Amino acid sequence: MEPPIPKINPPPPPPRQARSYALRFISGKYQGGEFPLPENGEIVIGRSSELDMVLVEDMVSRRHAKITATGGQIFIQDLGSTNGSFVNGEKIKRARLSEGDRILIGTSIIKVVATEGRASLREAKAHLEDVAAGKRTSQVRTMTGSIGEVPLPDLLQLFSASKKSGVLVIRTDSDTGKVYIDQGRVIFAAVNDNYDISPLKNFYRIVTWDQGTFDMEPPEEREFFEQIEMSTEALLMEAMRRLDELKRLAPDMPGMSAQLSLGAPLVPPLRDLSPDELDVLQLAHNAGHTETVLNKSLASDLETSEILVKLVKAGYLKVD
């Protein structure tokens, strides 16, 4: 009988390397900068020059916040700052951070990101100083960024929680929207400086935009013929509901530049239409284009879109 073959245990797998994380500035004076987090340790953030991460701006306290990394977990703690620290729109005293979380300190929106390797503390501080110097020479506004990076609902929640005031200007390839904010509350909105359209209608349109840039400009001294009275939280909840409904209608909805005309011959009887549906039919006949109908309709974009889809499907309107 042959002797048994000795069993050879495979070598143990190499130890799993801990993920590296960094703080990426996606808005504000230091936009484009990145600051690595230690695998185990802490960084103190504030205006004072002897701290780890130095943010030189009025809304940042001398010792503003502390971020601690330990055992694969990351925590942020506010150090009794004047203007507070915010995570994902919530004012915090202490909170655990995860990849993708957004922190608001002063006018900087900072995202927790995974990264490869770690720069030294000295290199990271120098990098932020270089970024800020470049921003000063280009004279950018106080807060600027991409709505692809910071979606508008998230941005408005941050402004609401931190009670900021100003005019949020959003620019896409084809449109410019303005959202007027007073102490964190949205009070008015306009698209392409058209102040004749309901501010609610304008706001719900702007929130659907997902590409473009934003700038937070100083407050304007002006009076509005009609103000938005809803809270920012209620506005955003309603905006998301409407967006879901508009997505449902999208396959049957005429394009914004589509030409609308009455069906010829007009077979379905007009008596079957409600007064609101007759109003939209008349608007389509007089205005001709989908965008103009939506602008002139007294009903919301969602209600008007539902009616347009019904009129087209039933043969009252045709799309050219």
Side-chain angles (χ1 to χ4, degrees):
M1 183 175 179
E2 295 182 3
I5 300 173
K7 187 176 181 181
I8 301 175
N9 293 323
R16 190 174 180 183
Q17 189 174 7
R19 294 194 72 184
S20 298
Y21 293 95
L23 302 177
R24 179 176 296 162
F25 288 75
I26 56 178
S27 173
K29 179 179 179 180
Y30 298 91
Q31 183 185 354
E34 196 165 292
F35 199 97
L37 292 175
E39 184 175 337
N40 287 288
E42 66 181 37
I43 61 170
V44 181
I45 305 167
R47 203 172 66 244
S48 181
S49 59
E50 72 269 10
L51 300 182
D52 305 309
M53 181 192 288
V54 182
L55 304 181
V56 185
E57 55 171 294
D58 293 340
M59 293 185 67
V60 175
S61 298
R62 289 183 60 80
R63 286 174 56 85
H64 196 106
K66 177 175 69 177
I67 294 182
T68 304
T70 177
Q73 296 183 333
I74 308 169
F75 297 90
I76 181 171
Q77 177 183 347
D78 185 78
L79 299 177
S81 64
T82 302
N83 293 297
S85 303
F86 301 83
V87 176
N88 299 328
E90 296 290 332
K91 190 172 186 178
I92 58 95
K93 290 185 178 179
R94 187 175 187 270
R96 183 177 173 181
L97 295 174
S98 300
E99 184 179 353
D101 284 346
R102 295 181 178 88
I103 305 162
L104 177 65
I105 294 178
T107 63
S108 293
I109 300 176
I110 309 165
K111 186 176 182 180
V112 180
V113 298
T115 186
E116 294 183 4
R118 287 186 175 91
S120 69
L121 181 61
R122 179 178 297 178
E123 290 172 334
K125 292 179 74 170
H127 175 56
L128 286 188
E129 290 172 3
D130 291 343
V131 169
K135 291 287 190 294
R136 283 196 295 272
T137 56
S138 61
Q139 294 184 333
V140 299
R141 293 176 177 84
T142 307
M143 274 186 103
T144 182
S146 162
I147 60 174
E149 187 79 62
V150 193
L152 282 173
D154 293 2
L155 192 61
L156 289 165
Q157 284 179 330
L158 285 171
F159 291 161
S160 174
S162 55
K163 299 190 181 301
K164 291 193 179 297
S165 297
V167 184
L168 179 62
V169 182
I170 306 99
R171 296 177 176 87
T172 71
D173 290 340
S174 56
D175 298 295
T176 298
K178 292 181 180 180
V179 179
Y180 294 80
I181 301 171
D182 180 34
Q183 292 294 304
R185 192 174 68 84
V186 175
I187 59 172
F188 196 82
V191 175
N192 298 328
D193 289 328
N194 189 339
Y195 293 88
D196 295 331
I197 299 175
S198 157
L200 267 177
K201 184 178 288 191
N202 279 324
F203 178 81
Y204 291 139
R205 289 183 185 180
I206 291 170
V207 174
T208 66
W209 300 351
D210 57 9
Q211 294 296 323
T213 60
F214 70 84
D215 295 292
M216 187 61 164
E217 298 185 344
E220 291 183 8
E221 290 292 333
R222 65 181 304 157
E223 293 184 3
F224 301 109
F225 64 90
E226 176 187 357
Q227 286 198 13
I228 296 173
E229 300 296 338
M230 296 170 66
S231 69
T232 299
E233 291 75 14
L235 271 175
L236 290 173
M237 287 181 63
E238 178 62 14
M240 294 303 100
R241 184 191 72 81
R242 290 171 184 250
L243 180 58
D244 288 342
E245 290 298 312
L246 286 171
K247 286 180 179 177
R248 178 181 59 81
L249 292 171
D252 300 313
M253 179 68 183
M256 292 294 279
S257 59
Q259 180 76 33
L260 303 173
S261 58
L262 293 179
L266 188 57
V267 176
L270 294 175
R271 64 176 175 272
D272 290 346
L273 296 179
S274 70
D276 289 342
E277 291 166 347
L278 285 170
D279 287 344
V280 173
L281 183 68
Q282 184 177 11
L283 271 176
H285 175 63
N286 293 336
H289 287 92
T290 304
E291 183 175 11
T292 309
V293 173
L294 291 170
N295 287 343
K296 290 182 175 294
S297 174
L298 297 178
S300 69
D301 281 354
L302 174 58
E303 293 162 338
T304 306
S305 297
E306 288 174 332
I307 292 173
L308 281 175
V309 167
K310 175 180 177 180
L311 294 177
V312 171
K313 284 186 172 181
Y316 291 97
L317 290 174
K318 63 178 182 178
V319 182
D320 299 325

